[in-house]
Amino acid sequence: MSGGVLYRPGDSPVHRIPPQVKLLAAFAAVLGVVATPREAFWAFGIDLFVVLAVWSVAGVPVGWFARRAVIEAPFVLLAVVLPFVSGGPRVDVLGVAVSQDGLLAGWNILAKGTLGVLIALTLAATTQPRDLVLGLQRLRAPAWFVTIATLMLRYVDVIAGELRRTRIARISRGDDPRFLWQAGAVARGAGTLFLRSYERGERVHRAMLARGWAGHMPAGPAAPVGALRWVAGGSPALVIATAWAVAAWPV
Amino acid sequence: MTASVAMHLSDGVLDASTSVLFGAVAVAWLAVAAARGRIDVDDRTAPLAGLLAAFLFAMQLLNFPVLPGVSGHLYGGALAAILLGPWVGALCLSVVVVIQALLFADGGLTALGANMTNMALLGTAVGFAVALAARGLARRSRAGLLAVAFLAGLVSTVAASAGFVVEYAIGGQADVSLGGLAGVVIGVHAVIGIGEGVITALAVGAIVRVRPDLIYLVRTSETRELVAA
């Protein structure tokens, strides 16, 4: 797919790391962030520093990430509400008594949610969609998953484009639904689109059979990934995991 | 229909062990769904499912304005369950949820298991259970089918949000009153679910007029064989 994708073409060392390494590193890094005790404020500082370092290597500007990080906004709301609705001992912040536990919980969601979305955005910005699926395939994702994901990414633009064209066709013929009344048009459009997608799926399957489809996506030759590249690609996750281990170490 | 990101859990809302737990739940459930959906046996199912996942993805991608500042999109749990059945429907939606997390950072990576459990698995399973329970009504008349689809859409949305409440009770970060949280979350999603139900019903209504044989819920076992052949 091309439209709406976050991938930023580039040739940085971050871009060149094999996708399976990047996927594992991203998951490990986010898990490390989430597992870090919320009182270990310094650890989140280290995590943020690691993310910033990866961006500077990848050559993606900070502002780009900031604009896209708003996707987690609904949970920021939760973070803001928690200090006021949680139980437990109260502390005064700017003259307002708020729950100490709720304050920490809010901070926890804000810090981990933000770091999580930044790490995921880093993965999305430096990896092509089809490479992401290839990485999942090399990480032994089930064959059905790889097939569905590959075809989905290949055809989502086609189908979204069809949806857009039917909408324009509808509007250009004088239909102008507003507010809730557009539900009818949207839903009937969805029904038509389902039928077209189904029939396209049947045609695609027959075309695949004609080209020798045997039930699973060919992976193509994969160059073996040397230990050095695993270490290089995994190093940010390693730093974050170390920060977690130190923070969580029972003193 | 909902603000486009409201249902995807972000990182840090659930603790690490709960995140891992629901990752395991999602993987186990998907393994069952793959086996029951016979997706590896029939070479036709997976490519078709790919196109239908693209359909669900496209439906989620396109927002339409509901009120000023509020845009909505279909979530599609009940629609997938009614059209594709509970197994293939769950597989398609779980691919959508995974790709959204990886491609758009929509939903946290550690919350992926919980998000898949809520939206791809719980939503389709509950939506299908409701539809199956009322299948007699759905087969009797067109109005019956629409009513069943509406109900399935509504209940599946509420079930997905109830999944979040359960996850928060297990591994949430603050001791908020669970009753209050459940009231707010489920209340909001009941309203959202009405929109989801209306769209699901009208979409199923449009399909049944043209190709009733494609709707998993109302297909008899004979036509199902016929379609598979």
Side-chain angles (χ1 to χ4, degrees), chain A residues 59-83:
Chain A
V60 181
V62 175
W64 184 89
F65 285 99
R67 275 195 295 283
R68 269 142 195 98
V70 295
I71 197 160
E72 60 147 1
F75 287 94
V76 174
L77 192 68
L78 183 62
V80 171
V81 170
L82 277 178

Side-chain angles (χ1 to χ4, degrees), chain A residues 38 75 101 108 163 182 199, chain B residues 8 12 62 65 173 175 211:
Chain A
R38 60 196 189 187
F75 287 94
D101 178 55
N108 183 69
L163 195 55
Q182 61 187 331
E199 284 159 1
Chain B
H8 292 253
L62 294 185
Q173 294 286 344
D175 63 343
R211 290 286 301 271

Side-chain angles (χ1 to χ4, degrees), chain A residues 1 3-7 23 26-27 30-32 34-35 38 68 70-75 78 82 85-88 99 101-102 105-106 108-109 112-117 119-121 123-124 127-129 132-133 136 142-145 147-149 151-153 155-157 159-160 163-164 178-180 182-195 197-202 204-205 208-209 213-215, chain B residues 1 3 5-17 19-20 30-31 34 39-40 42-59 61-62 64-67 74 79 83-84 88 90-92 94-96 98-112 116 164 168 173-177 181 195 198-204 206-207 209-211 213-215 219 227:
Chain A
M1 69 182 293
V5 151
L6 299 180
Y7 175 67
L23 273 167
F27 272 97
V30 180
L31 195 61
V34 170
R38 60 196 189 187
R68 269 142 195 98
V70 295
I71 197 160
E72 60 147 1
F75 287 94
L78 183 62
L82 277 178
V85 298
S86 296
S99 156
D101 178 55
N108 183 69
I109 292 176
K112 293 177 179 177
T114 307
L115 282 165
V117 82
I119 292 169
L121 283 172
L123 177 71
T127 320
Q128 291 223 27
L132 280 173
V133 177
L136 288 171
W144 61 263
F145 187 96
T147 306
I148 295 181
L151 285 166
M152 184 181 88
L153 286 178
Y155 283 99
V156 68
D157 275 346
I159 290 170
L163 195 55
R164 228 169 280 128
R178 281 165 202 276
F179 190 49
L180 295 177
Q182 61 187 331
V186 168
R188 275 185 286 274
T192 311
L193 197 66
F194 170 79
L195 294 175
S197 306
Y198 196 101
E199 284 159 1
R200 190 186 291 276
E202 290 176 327
V204 167
H205 173 248
M208 286 163 75
L209 284 180
W213 168 249
Chain B
M1 293 188 294
V5 289
M7 269 177 114
H8 292 253
L9 268 171
S10 73
D11 291 304
V13 178
L14 303 174
D15 62 26
S17 50
S19 306
V20 173
L30 283 180
I39 199 147
D40 288 325
D42 185 353
D43 75 347
R44 181 172 164 282
T45 315
L48 199 54
L51 265 290
L52 298 171
F55 159 73
L56 292 168
F57 200 166
M59 291 304 301
L61 220 51
L62 294 185
F64 50 93
V66 179
L67 290 168
L74 191 72
L79 189 62
L83 297 178
L84 312 175
V88 177
L91 298 177
C92 287
S94 64
V95 174
V96 172
V98 170
I99 295 297
Q100 279 172 340
L102 293 179
L103 234 56
F104 304 128
D106 198 355
L109 292 183
T110 57
L112 194 52
M116 279 162 81
F164 163 70
Y168 198 85
Q173 294 286 344
D175 63 343
V176 294
S177 104
L181 180 76
V198 168
I199 304 242
T200 305
L202 292 174
V204 170
I207 294 164
R209 200 176 286 154
V210 190
R211 290 286 301 271
D213 58 310
L214 294 189
I215 298 177
R219 270 194 324 235
V227 169

Side-chain angles (χ1 to χ4, degrees), chain B residues 23-194:
Chain B
V25 167
V27 168
W29 196 328
L30 283 180
V32 174
R36 296 298 304 273
R38 298 176 63 78
I39 199 147
D40 288 325
V41 183
D42 185 353
D43 75 347
R44 181 172 164 282
T45 315
L48 199 54
L51 265 290
L52 298 171
F55 159 73
L56 292 168
F57 200 166
M59 291 304 301
Q60 294 201 1
L61 220 51
L62 294 185
N63 288 301
F64 50 93
V66 179
L67 290 168
V70 181
S71 66
H73 68 77
L74 191 72
Y75 130 72
L79 189 62
I82 290 171
L83 297 178
L84 312 175
W87 309 118
V88 177
L91 298 177
C92 287
L93 267 177
S94 64
V95 174
V96 172
V97 173
V98 170
I99 295 297
Q100 279 172 340
L102 293 179
L103 234 56
F104 304 128
D106 198 355
L109 292 183
T110 57
L112 194 52
N115 279 329
M116 279 162 81
T117 306
N118 294 346
M119 290 189 279
L121 307 176
L122 210 53
T124 49
V126 171
F128 192 76
V130 169
L132 199 62
R135 185 150 70 162
L137 180 64
R139 282 199 176 134
R140 199 170 306 151
S141 69
R142 184 183 152 76
L145 178 64
L146 295 196
V148 169
F150 170 79
L151 200 62
L154 171 64
V155 177
S156 77
T157 310
V158 172
S161 72
F164 163 70
V165 175
V166 170
E167 284 147 16
Y168 198 85
I170 297 173
Q173 294 286 344
D175 63 343
V176 294
S177 104
L178 274 175
L181 180 76
V184 171
V185 170
I186 293 177
V188 167
H189 284 89
V191 177
I192 293 169
I194 292 174

Side-chain angles (χ1 to χ4, degrees), chain A residues 11-22 24-25 138 222-236:
Chain A
D11 192 34
S12 74
V14 182
H15 285 79
R16 286 198 303 267
I17 296 167
Q20 65 271 37
V21 178
K22 262 191 274 191
L24 272 189
R138 290 186 188 150
V225 180
L228 205 63
R229 302 203 79 183
W230 274 104
V231 172
S235 56

